[in-house]
Amino acid sequence: MLVWCPDWPVIAAGIVDGAPAAGPVAVVGDNRVIACSPSARAAGVRRNLRKRDAQARCPELVVVPDDPARDARAFEPVVAAVEEVVAGVAVVRPGVCAFTARGPARYFGTEEAAAERVVEQIAVECAVEAQIGVADGTFAALLAARLGRHVPAGRTAAFLAELPVSALERPALVGLLDRLGVRTLGAFAALNPADVLARFGLDGALAHRLAAGKDDRPLAVRSPPPDLEVEERPEEPIERVDVAAFAARALAERLHEKLAAYGLACTRLAITAVTADGRELHREWRHDGILTATAIADRTRWQLDGWLSTRVYGSRDRRRLAVGEESQLSNKNKPAGGIVLLRLAPEGVLAQVGLQPGLWGEAGAERDRAHRAMHRVQGLLGPEAVLRGVLGGGADPARRATLVPWGEEYVPASPDGPWPDRLLSPFPVLLPAPVAVEVTDLAGVPVAVSGRLALSGIPALVSGVPILAWTGPFPLDERWWDVRRGRARVRFQVVLGDGRQLLLEHHRATWSAVADFD
Amino acid sequence: MQPAALSDLVRRASDLGPAAAGLGTDRLLPVASQLRDLLPGYGLRRGSTVAVAPGAPGTTSLLLALLAEASRAGSWCAVVGVPALGLLAASELGIALDRFAVVPHPGPEWPAVAATLLDGFDLVVVSVKDIAASVCAQLAARARQRGSVLVPFGSGWDGAEVTLSVTESRWYGVGEGSRRRITVAARGRGAAARPRRGQVWLPGPPVEEETQRLRVVR
């Protein structure tokens, strides 16, 4: 028995990208139409048509690019809906799944009743139209589904015999058979199998067996993915951090046991809490290695601590902590009424193959010792107090080394690349908050830099300290296309009489010292 | 045998490596060759306290240069309370950033944080400023007990084995490709009681071709 959702790529595009499935839609890949909606078909759009021809036939056609991953993703709920009703479902391709008819037929009485039940389930769960075909073998069942036929057991060969050879979906073979005068599957099946194998090769022999209704390939039944989420509904809403920590610990251990039972380990963890006033708080934690039970418990505790008390970790250093939304804690306002539901879901899992110690000791005892110490400091000060640098790209030296909380995924704020405006070696050792300075020439007149990088005088003093040597101007016009975030600056490097070398920036007629080569 | 040939065979004791000098090398963390002569035992002895005190510009670079060789050799380093530290420069000076933790804002509980980090890290830098002698003693004792090296960075630390400070700093060039030579003074107690002085090039000693080009900025 086979479930076929007609024009699946179009429907998937409608589900995932919101393409209007009612109007004329065509999914196009390699400049050819792969699938189209019924209204597009009515306008004359056909499969394998060139994109331009399709648009000529139907000017209001909505063209969606082909994406097999999107099709597969959208089909997952349909398969899950079918699995609710029957067992042992095999996905043939996105839009088509098959299962053996005998079990459901006996359970629901007849094959028709089972088919009706499955179609109803898909319609209710996913609001997707499906057709069912029943025949011996997947190939015949797909043809039966397209024709809306129910082929009784043992009549498959007779059903196939009337169909044209083009149903084999092998253009080269079909063209050849057509020229040889073999027009129907029945005529093809009547040929001697040995001759077919000798003339058309292995694939031809397989097609011959399909045409004869001898499709005896077993179904590749998928095993439904295990449900790895754990959740806890405390009897009383959690309002205190210590109670939350206790709940987190128990929940973390349950999750860890569940993962261990499947031989999996977690790299990304999603924590969801539902508050008494019905709000849902959600945050994902990333981790560079594998989250252990303790690490899961800690992250849950930190998160609940953050949600229950209005404290924002690491807010003092938010400017330099370019980690993105990952570390933006969503605790602007305290949840009212405490937490009534707590859920942990592993977002990223991988097969646990045991801890692999490093050959040169980078993952050895010293690493463990350091990690334990860091862990304790994170417990003392909060997770975002212990940082690690990751080198990336950028024009500013501060941006090139991104600070990431220890234990999270180490991704630089901006990727490495050519970055023509970047500072070259040596790099500044101290990057404090910019300090306004005054740059003047020998007469004490402030030095200005024009839009054409002309200096109004020779820089001689920085806030009264003589300049021994200077280099510049180095223009730095970042994000000139962005009105709000764009910033045109001019950089200078100066060596001062007191032995310091500074990186100065000139921006809108003001000078500031942004880095010190201390 | 000619006296000239004989003099080639004679070497000063200080030229001998630490192994030949009979020091426990396993208790030593390596330092860059430019800094070796400034430290007793030619390295950072585990359990000791090596302070970096403020002086002429270049102190922070000296601190990073002091950690670099050990970090490269696989030690874990942590820096507590230096919020503006440029990690790009740290990486340039030879520090392995994947074994380098930064706690920029330890807050009022910084002694507890430093003590915790001493348990797990080989080198712990603590930014200090005129702290109580009892806290000094406690942290130094913790380092001694755990076999880590405590590096107080700042003024007013009592009882370090060696205190390094920059007495003079000279830039050779400005901007890209510039180098500097700092003069480092070391004073201390015990084996390091004799004051020593050394010159250190940062980010590293100039290569042969470069020496022609380098001009001091004055």
Side-chain angles (χ1 to χ4, degrees), chain A residues 320 376 387 425 429 431 517-518, chain B residues 58 60-61 84 86 92 102 180:
Chain A
R320 304 241 348 251
R376 287 216 298 280
L387 306 170
S425 167
V429 172
L431 302 161
F517 295 73
D518 184 32
Chain B
T60 316
S61 299
E92 185 198 24
V102 189
R180 82 162 124 195

Side-chain angles (χ1 to χ4, degrees), chain A residues 236-267:
Chain A
E236 306 243 315
I238 298 175
E239 283 181 17
R240 285 203 343 257
V241 174
D242 53 341
V243 183
F246 194 69
R249 179 91 223 168
L251 205 57
E253 266 165 21
R254 260 171 57 200
L255 176 66
H256 196 71
E257 264 171 37
K258 206 163 186 175
L259 287 171
Y262 286 107
L264 296 171
C266 176
T267 54

